[in-house]
Structure formats: C-alpha cells, structure tokens
C-alpha cells in the first residue's frame, strides 16, 4: 500500500504532551529499552497489598495469556520467586 508506513519506535507513538512520557523516557534511560516492562503494584495508604492478592493474581494471569507478552514474572517483594 502506497503511503502506509510502520514505526517500530514505540516511544515515538507516545503523545507529545502526555503526562506519562517523562516516566517512559526515564525508564528507557535507566534500563536501555522497553523490551522488558516492570510494573509495581502498591496498596493505598492504610491497606496492605495482601488484601489485593486475588486482584494481583488475576491481573498477572491475564497478562500471561496476552498474545504479545512472552513472559510474566509475578514475583513479590519477598524471598519467593515463581
């Protein structure tokens, strides 16, 4: 198709004035690429993350079944690993 182009630079697809853009650039500066994405979930003040364990597990399981995601590690901030 004439006039159709693909941009493999995901960062260029971010809104120019988006509030998340500085965070993504900071991530790339620290880690070098967006090949790996780290998501940190925290509980609101006055609550413990263990109260949301079922929600966190469901979210992780949905990601594991997403076509474009190769691997999900739902490791918690403790001594365990999966």
């Amino acid at each position: 198709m004439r006039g159709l182009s693909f941009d493999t630079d995901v960062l260029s697809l971010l809104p120019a004035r988006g509030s998340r853009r500085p965070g993504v650039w900071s991530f790339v500066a620290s880690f070098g690429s967006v090949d790996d994405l780290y998501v940190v979930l925290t509980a609101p003040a006055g609550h413990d993350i263990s109260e949301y364990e079922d929600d966190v597990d469901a979210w992780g399981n949905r990601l594991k079944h997403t076509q474009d995601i190769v691997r999900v590690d739902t490791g918690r901030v403790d001594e365990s690993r999966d």
Side-chain angles (χ1 to χ4, degrees):
M1 297 177 95
R2 220 178 314 159
L4 180 65
S5 63
F6 294 94
D7 192 344
T8 58
D9 179 8
V10 175
L11 298 178
S12 71
L13 302 175
L14 293 172
R17 294 184 182 94
S19 63
R20 303 289 185 221
R21 189 177 184 107
V24 173
W25 284 109
S26 175
F27 180 90
V28 171
S30 297
F31 296 101
S33 72
V34 289
D35 293 335
D36 296 314
L37 175 64
Y38 299 88
V39 177
V40 178
L41 303 174
T42 59
H47 293 274
D48 189 83
I49 193 66
S50 64
E51 297 173 46
Y52 301 92
E53 189 168 339
D54 291 340
D55 297 309
V56 172
D57 288 341
W59 195 73
N61 286 330
R62 281 185 296 214
L63 286 176
K64 287 177 184 178
H65 294 96
T66 301
Q67 180 180 358
D68 295 327
I69 296 179
V70 176
R71 186 175 79 86
V72 174
D73 179 356
T74 58
R76 308 293 201 288
V77 180
D78 58 17
E79 299 302 314
S80 68
R81 301 260 317 161
D82 52 325

